[in-house]
Amino acid sequence: MKKILVCEDEVSIRSFVVVNLRREGYEVVEAGSGEEALSCYAADPTIAMALLDVMLPGIDGFETCRRLREQSRDMGIIMLTARTREEEKVSGLRMGADDYVTKPFSTAELLARVDALYRRLETKEPAGYIEQIVSGEFALDLRTRRLLRQDVSIELTQVEFQILELFFGNPDTLLTRGEILRHVWGTDMGGDEKIVDVNIRRLRMKVEADPSEPRHLLTVWGRGYQWNA
Ligand code: CA
């Protein structure tokens, strides 16, 4: 089931993306607006991934992303952002996107990112027998991909889950942003480490009593992050 929703109002860009994804074996559902994307997903919840342009008529790509994420924690979401607008990258991630590709992009670049995210979605089921990784009062449930804190369930996006999985496996250890980037996003991100910071901020909102005074997800100044249970 390689089903991907492509939401872009510019027909020429959409066709280009759709043709290339189909050639790679993806089943593509097309939408020309955010509203249309949401109804496509409502009609077919087996859609595993979405590629969302930011600039759309009606609700924009960020809002579309937020609403899709409300309905599916597991869906892989990639935003298509303008290269010149740094804040677009961050906004998309805040709304729950897993990754972004900046316009203009090459076919190779887009497909690499889509494939990378798709592989991450596919490896959802753990191969081993371990069901939970426990760290202090937290437990990461590998089967449901949720975080439990004293039996209270905390919803995580795919990316947040993978970051925590990395930290839980390496407690009290400095992980550089580069290491986190490579582990979670693969090696083809071109060293854009802001994506790590945004996700750490989002995770802090979920795991810290006071996100501005983190006690678990610590910043190691100028170097990276460290998990302390
Ligand atoms: Ca557009």
Side-chain angles (χ1 to χ4, degrees):
M1 182 194 63
K2 289 173 88 174
K3 206 178 280 185
I4 182 165
L5 172 68
V6 176
C7 181
E8 161 70 272
D9 58 314
E10 281 165 74
V11 178
S12 57
I13 299 177
R14 193 172 74 223
S15 317
F16 161 79
V17 169
V18 168
V19 163
N20 282 291
L21 286 171
R22 287 200 175 126
R23 196 175 290 154
E24 285 292 296
Y26 285 92
E27 187 180 332
V28 185
V29 179
E30 294 183 55
S33 69
E35 288 85 350
E36 206 184 320
L38 291 166
S39 41
C40 286
Y41 182 69
D44 184 358
T46 65
I47 292 172
M49 284 185 19
L51 208 56
L52 305 175
D53 187 37
V54 172
M55 298 295 281
L56 295 167
I59 60 168
D60 66 12
F62 299 135
E63 179 60 17
T64 309
C65 173
R66 194 185 64 76
R67 292 193 200 174
L68 281 174
R69 183 56 81 210
E70 256 174 20
Q71 290 173 54
S72 170
R73 191 167 46 89
D74 299 328
M75 178 184 252
I77 303 178
I78 299 178
M79 305 294 300
L80 300 176
T81 64
R83 195 176 288 281
T84 49
R85 301 209 193 117
E86 206 57 38
E87 70 276 14
E88 282 193 358
K89 302 173 183 174
V90 175
S91 307
L93 298 171
R94 284 212 184 104
M95 293 299 172
D98 296 297
D99 203 352
Y100 56 82
V101 176
T102 45
K103 285 177 163 182
F105 46 81
S106 68
T107 310
E109 190 185 352
L110 179 73
L111 291 176
R113 301 288 273 280
V114 169
D115 286 340
L117 182 55
Y118 186 74
R119 277 197 305 276
R120 301 204 313 256
L121 299 179
E122 273 206 316
T123 53
K124 224 170 85 172
E125 291 301 317
Y129 298 101
I130 303 166
E131 291 216 330
Q132 285 195 342
I133 309 176
V134 177
S135 187
E137 63 185 12
F138 296 94
L140 202 55
D141 190 313
L142 301 183
R143 198 175 40 80
T144 61
R145 293 173 87 83
R146 276 163 208 257
L147 178 66
L148 300 167
R149 179 185 212 159
Q150 294 168 340
D151 294 328
V152 177
S153 174
I154 300 168
E155 300 267 315
L156 300 174
T157 67
Q158 292 293 336
V159 162
E160 290 165 355
F161 174 86
Q162 286 181 301
I163 293 174
L164 277 189
E165 195 180 21
L166 180 64
F167 276 120
F168 280 26
N170 300 275
D172 305 316
T173 307
L174 163 73
L175 297 175
T176 66
R177 294 145 105 216
E179 284 168 340
I180 299 168
L181 199 57
R182 275 193 296 281
H183 175 84
V184 177
W185 284 271
T187 51
D188 54 348
M189 277 288 293
D192 195 342
E193 297 180 347
K194 269 188 297 295
I195 193 168
V196 175
D197 299 334
V198 172
N199 275 284
I200 295 287
R201 275 204 295 276
R202 228 165 48 190
L203 271 171
R204 280 179 176 153
M205 305 293 282
K206 298 185 177 183
V207 304
E208 301 288 354
D210 178 1
S212 63
E213 294 282 339
R215 296 181 49 219
H216 301 293
L217 255 179
L218 309 180
T219 300
V220 180
W221 194 247
R223 300 181 65 196
Y225 298 100
Q226 183 170 323
W227 171 262
N228 285 4

